[in-house]
Amino acid sequence: MNNSMNHKELIHSDFQIKEVEAVVRRDAFTTIHVFVPPYETNILRNLFGRENVTVFERPSKTTITPEQEYDRLCAKYGHEVVAKVFGEDDGDRLMEIVEGLMKEGQLPVQEKALEGVLEQEPTETKGVKKR
């Protein structure tokens, strides 16, 4: 069967993508810091309110397996929450977001050894807009 390859067939390994720090104010006395892929902050904002989630850029990266990200997020937050944020499409929109991050110069884990020569410049800290 020689049909055109869809996007899920193109990705079969772990990838390094940028990671952000999200500071989540759960209540007046509880603030947590989590390190997550950038798209996961959309779920946190949905759960805790946009005004309660502040996101900071980090120089570090995290390893993901793109075809397993939708299932990972559903296991962590529940299918209803993930579908509310990314749509009822079995992860297709999320996969597009992940692929976009991977195309920003990210390399598969196997190729990370070749990237060691490159230095990453410090990034600016970004906060969440207040309404």
Side-chain angles (χ1 to χ4, degrees), residues 2-52:
N2 191 8
N3 58 358
S4 63
M5 292 174 59
N6 69 31
H7 64 275
K8 290 182 181 178
E9 292 172 344
L10 295 174
I11 304 166
H12 290 292
S13 61
D14 291 343
F15 278 78
Q16 291 273 309
I17 62 169
K18 68 182 179 177
E19 177 179 67
V20 297
E21 177 180 6
V23 179
V24 181
R25 187 178 53 192
R26 295 182 66 132
D27 60 43
F29 304 104
T30 310
T31 301
I32 60 171
H33 295 251
V34 293
F35 304 103
V36 297
Y39 48 82
E40 198 165 332
T41 61
N42 294 333
I43 295 173
L44 296 172
R45 287 179 177 135
N46 184 273
L47 288 173
F48 300 105
R50 181 168 292 279
E51 68 281 359
N52 293 318

Side-chain angles (χ1 to χ4, degrees), residues 12-119:
H12 290 292
S13 61
D14 291 343
F15 278 78
Q16 291 273 309
I17 62 169
K18 68 182 179 177
E19 177 179 67
V20 297
E21 177 180 6
V23 179
V24 181
R25 187 178 53 192
R26 295 182 66 132
D27 60 43
F29 304 104
T30 310
T31 301
I32 60 171
H33 295 251
V34 293
F35 304 103
V36 297
Y39 48 82
E40 198 165 332
T41 61
N42 294 333
I43 295 173
L44 296 172
R45 287 179 177 135
N46 184 273
L47 288 173
F48 300 105
R50 181 168 292 279
E51 68 281 359
N52 293 318
V53 179
T54 306
V55 178
F56 299 97
E57 298 287 329
R58 290 177 42 87
S60 62
K61 296 184 179 183
T62 187
T63 302
I64 64 161
T65 306
E67 67 270 14
Q68 294 174 0
E69 265 308 89
Y70 186 77
D71 292 336
R72 180 187 75 82
L73 293 174
C74 285
K76 187 173 181 179
Y77 299 105
H79 174 78
E80 296 78 20
V81 172
V82 176
K84 183 177 178 184
V85 173
F86 294 109
E88 287 280 357
D89 61 5
D90 293 324
D92 290 340
R93 180 165 178 255
L94 176 62
M95 184 63 78
E96 289 174 12
I97 294 168
V98 170
E99 285 176 345
L101 286 171
M102 289 166 30
K103 289 176 185 172
E104 288 180 8
Q106 309 303 331
L107 300 172
V109 170
Q110 305 89 288
E111 296 175 19
K112 290 302 286 179
L114 300 175
E115 188 188 57
V117 185
L118 302 175
E119 288 293 321

